[in-house]
Structure formats: C-alpha cells, structure tokens
Amino acid sequence: MSQPHNEELFSRAQRSIPGGVNSPVRAFRSVGGTPRFISRAQGARVWDADGVAYVDYVGSWGPMIVGHAHPRVVEAVQRAAAEGLSFGAPTEREVVMAEELKRRVPGLESVRLVSSGTEATMSAIRLARGFTGRDAIVKFEGCYHGHADSLLVKAGSGLLTFGNPSSAGVPADFARHTIVLDYNNVEALEATFAERGAEIAAVIIEPVAGNMNLVRPTQAYMQRLRELCTANGTVLIYDEVMTGFRVGPRGAQGLFGITADLVTLGKIVGGGMPVGAFGGRRDIMDCIAPLGPVYQAGTLSGSPVAVAAGLETLRLINEPGFYERIEALTTRLVEGLAAAARDAGVTFSAQSVGGMFGVYFSSLPPQSFADVMGSDRERFNRFFHAMLDAGHYFAPSAFEAGFVSAAHTEEDIDATIAAARRAFAAI
Ligand code: HOZ
C-alpha cells in the first residue's frame, strides 16, 4: 500500500477531527492550502507524509531547542518509559527537576509541575487571586496565555489568526474581570493602576511576546510594570512558556534583569513532551493545596517520561557555548532574510531574541498589537508558501514567532536565506 499523502490525510482528518487538527493554527487556514502531516523529524528537519523534507523553523512551537529526536533525549525517554509510564505518586525525577528549575530561574523558590502551558497559566492566575483575595487581572492585547477562560480575551496566536480574539463560550461574568491593555504603553498601564490598582490580583505578560508574532517590550516598560505591581500588591506573572530557556539561559527575567513574583514555564521544560510548570515566591506558592486553600491538581502532573525528556534537554542546553551558538545562528538568519528582502525591494523587517525570531512584512519590527495588524499579511502568506515549496517550514501564520534549534547548521540557514531571495523576487 502506498504511503498516504498530506491531502488524503487531511480529508480523512476532517471527517473525524474538528477542522482536521487538534490545535487550530496548524490547520493552515490563514495561509491557505493543505497542512503538512509530519511523519518523522530529526535534527533541524521534519518530513511530511509525502516524504518531503523541510528545514524546520517551528520546532513544535519552541520546545525542540536541541533539535528533533536528539539521541540523548530519546534515550532518556526510552529508559524512563521502560521503568513505568505513570504512577500518580511522587518520583525522584520531579524533585531533581524542581531543584534544576530553582537553580536556573530567577526568583523561583518553589515550583509545581503540570502537563501544559495552559495549566500553568490558569493555575498561576487562580493562585494570584487566592493569594491577594482580588478578582481583576490585567493582560495585554495580542498576548496568548493558553486557553483558560479568563485569558481568552483579546488574545493572540490562533485567536488572532482566525480573527476572533475573544473566544465564544467564555461567560461575560468571567471576562469582566480581565482588563486588557496595549503592550508597551506605559501611560495606559499607569492610568489603570491609578484607577484600579487595589483591585488587581495579577498582571500576566509574555515578557517577549511570541503569539502576535515576536514583539519586544522596552526595558523602561518592563521596569515600570515591576514598580507598579510592587507598589499595588499585585502579583506580577511572567508567562515564560515560550521564552523560558529560549531567549537565554535565565529566560526573559535574565534578559531584563527583573524578577517576577510568579513565572510560568512549559515547552523546553518538557523537551517536546507535555510538561508545564509554575512557581516563584514561596509565600505565594505556599497558598497551593495541600499547604493552602488554592486548589490545583493533576493525575499526570510530573509524568516520569515527560520529566525525563525535559531534564535531558535542560542538561544539553547547559553545555558551554550553547546559547552563543543558537543566538549567532538566529541572528544570521534574520540578518540574511532582511538583506535578501532589501535587495528585492520588499518592505520587510526581522529581529531575534536568543533562539526566537520574528519576520514582518512592515518596514520596522512592531512594538504593539496595532503595529502587528499594520503588516502586509497577504504578502506573508505568499512568502510562506514559496518557502514551503522550497523546503523551508515557517509557522503557518503571520502572528507566530519562529524558532531555531542547535541542530540547525550555518548551511541550513544559508540555504533558507537563498530560498528567501528567490521567494522575495517572486512575491
Ligand atoms: N498556540 C500555538 C502557537 N503559539 C500553536 C499550537 C499548535 O497548533 O500546535
């Protein structure tokens, strides 16, 4: 029997799975065309159901920082799996993971493992509310923190991609506790705290946004946010599910030299398996059950196999020169793409932070959600398809960041830049 093709699989999938996918952005709806069904991956490459190879800049949306199917991570997973898949009881590996995270993440005095980034942010919000006894939270337009009810208000990622930034099914009574502000807008932040500071339980922020494409906040903005939270007894939550161990070895906290009260983690911490974590100040974390009154739980939390994958990934990224190399590769990519666009006379910009990057069909990198909306999305879609046809897999949406792994080589990056030269000339 011949191998099923992407199109056949997509038709079959749509008969049994909503939209044919288990997470919306991968359906390719905003860029059009047929999603690639991935059959295997190794290093910097993924292969689709037709056997076509792509240089991968999605990297499972961030976690695959050491490359796909790294032999040491695979071996760690196999070893853990052979010892048992799940116990619903504590294991030594979880303790090692908690100690590792405490050692590396600023301000992390206590940490709990969960199974996804969504669980981490949802739990952190509940905890902040329980700790402060307040209901209101602040989030920023275009930031996406997973799909918990209070956070699906003017959110990024798939909600932005499909033009529906506030999900149906979220009771108005929940949404009214979520205050949405413009990213990077100090005046709006100050005015909100001046008016409602005493009601705000938490501010949650993607400290480098990656779900409305990559948007970098200014140092002054992050500093002022920290000051206002401290002055108002508001819990500052850095959602580092994407940026943790990605923008640098100490995440965005390290980048800005600012310590949040709570941090959420995911993606890299699971090395490609489902893991999330939230943690921070001990006085806040001690409010979680069984120590305190805020309930949070999970049968598969601290999954021994997933934690084994995460631990091995954390060991690999700790090796000397890891971040220098990944940062140099990512810079080479964005500078090469920008030069290729310039030569072709295409309005384009690009930037990177650590191993994470953004490409924009606008003359300057965006500072806010409004700037992102001003970019030429039709042109992005044509670029995306030209690159895909040439064997280079970028995120299938103008509202997502891209990711480079340590398995990418300079030759891979240069091949992508060469393909982009042809793509820019054609679009
Ligand atoms: N929300 C993810 C990107 N920020 C996409 C998840 C997926 O489609 O796999």
Side-chain angles (χ1 to χ4, degrees), residues 206-209 239-248 251-252 268 356:
E206 283 185 84
V208 174
D239 178 358
E240 297 232 42
V241 168
M242 204 178 264
T243 53
F245 303 107
R246 174 50 80 177
V247 298
I268 285 172
M356 185 170 165

Side-chain angles (χ1 to χ4, degrees), residues 257-405:
I258 294 172
T259 305
D261 301 308
L262 291 179
V263 176
T264 60
L265 295 163
K267 299 195 189 282
I268 285 172
V269 172
M273 298 204 65
V275 175
F278 65 100
R281 273 170 45 189
R282 187 176 294 281
D283 57 334
I284 303 179
M285 290 303 289
D286 282 357
C287 291
I288 282 277
L291 294 182
V294 179
Y295 199 71
Q296 188 282 327
T299 298
L300 297 177
S301 294
S303 150
V305 183
V307 172
L311 274 177
E312 200 54 40
T313 301
L314 291 182
R315 283 185 200 112
L316 284 162
I317 64 175
N318 213 22
E319 289 178 357
F322 183 91
Y323 281 95
E324 287 75 3
R325 183 179 136 67
I326 204 166
E327 197 170 321
L329 285 167
T330 316
T331 305
R332 185 181 184 100
L333 176 68
V334 295
E335 287 181 353
L337 291 175
R342 209 166 35 243
D343 293 347
V346 172
T347 303
F348 178 88
S349 54
Q351 67 177 341
S352 61
V353 188
M356 185 170 165
F357 66 90
V359 296
Y360 323 95
F361 284 83
S362 57
S363 52
L364 289 172
Q367 295 265 303
S368 66
F369 173 75
D371 290 352
V372 172
M373 295 310 277
S375 71
D376 186 344
R377 277 172 277 151
E378 280 311 311
R379 212 162 200 191
F380 169 82
N381 292 352
R382 294 198 295 277
F383 173 76
F384 167 81
H385 277 293
M387 294 304 286
L388 193 68
D389 290 347
H392 304 266
Y393 188 72
F394 283 81
S397 162
F399 300 119
E400 300 285 351
F403 303 94
V404 171
S405 81

Side-chain angles (χ1 to χ4, degrees), residues 23-27 60-61 144 157-158 210-211 242 267 400:
S23 191
V25 181
R26 59 181 83 162
S60 190
W61 305 93
Y144 175 74
S157 193
N211 283 292
M242 204 178 264
K267 299 195 189 282
E400 300 285 351

